[in-house]
Amino acid sequence: MTQSTHTLELSPADLKLEVASGTQLQDVLFAQGVEFPCGGRGRCKGCRVKVLKGILPVGEEEKKMLTDAELAGGWRLACRHSIAGDLKLELAQWEMPILSDQSTFKFTPREGLGVAIDLGTTTIAAQLLDLRNGNVLAVGTALNMQARHGGDIMSRVDFALRGGQAELQRLVREQLGPEPFLAADLPVVLARDRAEARTIGDVHTNLYLRLDNYRNNLLRLGWKPDELEPPGSDDLFDAVVAWGETATIHERIGALLSAGADQVVLNLIT
């Protein structure tokens, strides 16, 4: 018996897909670059889609996360639905700009080409370099496939601790191959409780939350504007800063190593 398929139209990309009935909408949209900041658990509004044609019934999680006006306007959480009929959805198309400057740095010239890779939480950026002079010859970007399991660090740490370590490592190595050396940066505050951690670490978050590019990226990942008011909410602080006793810090380091990092650089905040 042949499995039935349905037509899924994505706007404003003008993309039309034939999708098997029962397929999770999250799986289809992730392949098209749609991010799921909370890992598809219905805990944020980062994967909102607007139904233009077809039906996606309102679920209990959506009643909690979306306003009555949003629901009436056709907005739904993509992670809560599967394909049961023809659909036309409106998506947010996210641009992923590569930030650059003309700062000088020391290096030893040599013949050949090199590749510098920035493995971000949701985006992988690669630069092709002329090793004779350090000039950037080309830039390419791609969605970090690990984002399927959460668009922020804490969601991914949680996934790793629940048995997903090997999967995270497989995904990043599948994208980059076995050769690149991956180094992760981890802000660290050694503190006995959150109050002490925030007293020390708020200087760090206060600085970055005043930069538009950082704020815009966090908004795109589903954080609310009031959570980003410097120095940031407790939840945001926990997501971006590893704090606590040494055992807790070791746990965060281990999660990054399990996710594919060859080395973790500790950015100790004092």
Side-chain angles (χ1 to χ4, degrees):
M1 181 176 179
T2 303
Q3 186 177 19
S4 62
T5 62
H6 303 291
T7 300
L8 174 63
E9 297 180 73
L10 303 179
S11 174
D14 292 327
L15 184 63
K16 186 177 291 188
L17 305 170
E18 290 298 318
V19 182
S21 181
T23 301
Q24 293 297 311
L25 191 54
Q26 176 178 348
D27 293 338
V28 181
L29 297 185
F30 184 82
Q32 303 304 320
V34 177
E35 297 170 4
F36 293 82
C38 69
R41 302 177 202 173
R43 297 178 182 175
C44 73
K45 300 166 65 172
C47 66
R48 288 193 314 158
V49 295
K50 186 176 184 179
V51 180
L52 302 178
K53 292 181 182 179
I55 298 175
L56 289 179
V58 178
E60 291 302 317
E61 293 95 337
E62 290 164 320
K63 292 178 182 178
K64 297 176 183 177
M65 295 300 302
L66 302 175
T67 66
D68 291 340
E70 287 174 320
L71 293 172
W75 288 101
R76 301 289 186 269
L77 301 180
C79 66
R80 300 292 90 192
H81 294 279
S82 59
I83 306 294
D86 292 346
L87 285 172
K88 183 175 183 179
L89 304 177
E90 178 182 308
L91 315 178
Q93 298 297 304
W94 294 311
E95 295 183 356
M96 301 176 183
I98 303 301
L99 303 178
S100 62
D101 58 40
Q102 300 302 317
S103 300
T104 59
F105 61 94
K106 293 182 179 181
F107 75 101
T108 302
R110 57 177 173 170
E111 293 296 321
L113 302 175
V115 177
I117 299 173
D118 180 5
L119 180 62
T121 307
T122 58
T123 310
I124 296 176
Q127 294 180 328
L128 179 65
L129 305 172
D130 185 336
L131 297 181
R132 295 171 301 177
N133 49 34
N135 289 341
V136 177
L137 304 178
V139 176
T141 63
L143 184 66
N144 182 348
M145 300 302 286
Q146 292 179 332
R148 180 189 299 272
H149 302 293
D152 62 87
I153 293 296
M154 289 304 292
S155 294
R156 217 162 293 171
V157 167
D158 179 62
F159 177 76
L161 294 176
R162 289 186 293 107
Q165 297 177 357
E167 171 67 4
L168 292 176
Q169 188 169 13
R170 182 191 68 79
L171 287 171
V172 70
R173 282 302 180 186
E174 186 175 276
Q175 280 191 279
L176 299 183
E179 294 301 324
F181 183 87
L182 303 180
D185 176 76
L186 181 65
V188 171
V189 173
L190 294 175
R192 292 164 293 184
D193 53 50
R194 179 181 280 111
E196 182 183 4
R198 297 227 57 171
T199 299
I200 299 170
D202 278 357
V203 174
H204 177 85
T205 55
N206 186 68
L207 171 65
Y208 285 98
L209 290 176
R210 295 184 184 279
L211 301 176
D212 288 341
N213 57 311
Y214 281 91
R215 286 178 59 87
N216 291 339
N217 189 51
L218 290 168
L219 288 169
R220 180 168 59 83
L221 291 174
W223 293 95
K224 299 176 182 178
D226 60 330
E227 295 178 298
L228 305 184
E229 287 303 312
S233 67
D234 283 345
D235 286 343
L236 178 68
F237 188 85
D238 292 347
V240 300
V241 178
W243 65 268
E245 304 286 357
T246 54
T248 302
I249 306 303
H250 285 161
E251 190 175 84
R252 291 284 293 269
I253 295 171
L256 289 171
L257 293 173
S258 297
D262 293 300
Q263 183 182 78
V264 178
V265 180
L266 302 185
N267 181 4
L268 184 61
I269 305 168
T270 60

